[in-house]
């Protein structure tokens, strides 16, 4: 469907291409470091030691585990369909408390310009307060986040999802 290609696949593809570009740039940086003379790599004979390239994807530091900071690993996991978004989550324009999301995400910017992850393509929303996975499912969707938002809203508010 051309509409799905433009509205769903192309933003996802752009996010994937950005990660691939970042990986390729990191590979080139590492190769350039490796090509340096040994004396520069280790800082021998009064030569200033070369800076070791930073890791990519960057891991979350212990100090930022509780913060809502999106890092490279979060972005990659989202593109692979392995993202976890803790409660409260926003799907479309609706905020859901006590519900978390697992599935595909793409990186976007919120109203304040902060990097955030947005549910995308396919995923599930589950209740935080129910351990049994058979009972905690709120909504699942394989296409748009709008459909996921409607299903979750209907379930949380005990309404018909087709009603506006």
């Amino acid at each position: 469907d051309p509409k799905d290609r433009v509205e769903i696949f192309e933003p996802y593809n752009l996010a994937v291409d950005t990660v691939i570009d970042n990986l390729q740039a990191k590979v080139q940086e590492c190769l350039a470091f490796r090509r340096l003379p040994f004396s520069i790599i280790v800082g021998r004979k009064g030569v200033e030691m070369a800076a070791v390239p930073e890791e990519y994807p960057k891991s979350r530091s212990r100090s930022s585990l509780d913060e809502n900071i999106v890092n490279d690993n979060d972005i990659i996991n989202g593109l692979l369909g392995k993202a976890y978004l803790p409660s409260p989550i926003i799907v479309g324009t609706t905020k859901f408390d006590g519900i978390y999301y697992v599935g595909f995400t793409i990186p976007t910017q919120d109203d304040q310009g902060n990097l955030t992850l947005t549910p995308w393509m396919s995923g599930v929303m589950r209740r935080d307060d129910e351990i049994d996975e058979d009972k905690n499912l709120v909504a699942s969707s394989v296409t748009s986040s709008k459909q996921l938002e409607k299903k979750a809203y209907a379930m949380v508010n005990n309404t018909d999802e087709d009603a506006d």
Side-chain angles (χ1 to χ4, degrees):
D1 179 17
K3 183 176 189 276
D4 287 345
R5 180 181 52 79
V6 170
E7 293 181 357
I8 297 171
F9 177 72
E10 287 183 6
Y12 173 80
N13 192 46
L14 180 63
V16 169
D17 285 347
T18 300
V19 169
I20 289 171
D21 290 346
N22 290 342
L23 284 168
Q24 289 175 338
K26 185 53 67 176
V27 166
Q28 292 306 312
E29 182 183 356
C30 290
L31 288 173
F33 176 80
R34 180 60 189 99
R35 285 193 283 276
L36 292 173
F38 186 73
S39 59
I40 293 175
I41 291 175
V42 297
R44 248 179 154 179
K45 298 179 183 174
V47 175
E48 188 175 335
M49 185 169 69
V52 176
E54 289 186 24
E55 69 176 300
Y56 182 85
K58 292 180 185 170
S59 299
R60 188 178 299 274
S61 68
R62 289 243 181 248
S63 63
S64 69
L65 284 176
D66 296 328
E67 299 175 21
N68 288 330
I69 297 172
V70 174
N71 69 15
D72 297 327
N73 279 326
D74 297 331
I75 293 169
I76 292 169
N77 283 330
L79 296 173
L80 295 173
K82 298 178 180 181
Y84 164 72
L85 302 180
S87 175
I89 62 167
I90 297 174
V91 179
T93 58
T94 307
K95 181 178 178 180
F96 296 95
D97 289 310
I99 295 173
Y100 66 93
Y101 173 85
V102 175
F104 284 89
T105 60
I106 61 168
T108 56
Q109 286 190 342
D110 63 16
D111 295 337
Q112 290 78 37
N114 299 315
L115 189 61
T116 185
L117 296 176
T118 300
W120 205 255
M121 291 194 310
S122 127
V124 297
M125 294 170 64
R126 297 185 180 277
R127 293 185 189 279
D128 276 335
D129 60 357
E130 179 61 58
I131 296 172
D132 185 353
E133 284 197 10
D134 292 333
K135 296 179 183 176
N136 72 358
L137 182 66
V138 173
S140 65
S141 180
V142 182
T143 53
S144 71
S145 62
K146 186 69 176 165
Q147 185 179 11
L148 183 67
E149 177 184 12
K150 285 176 71 175
K151 285 181 178 183
Y153 183 85
M155 178 69 166
V156 168
N157 294 295
N158 295 320
T159 62
D160 181 13
E161 74 178 76
D162 293 326
D164 285 326

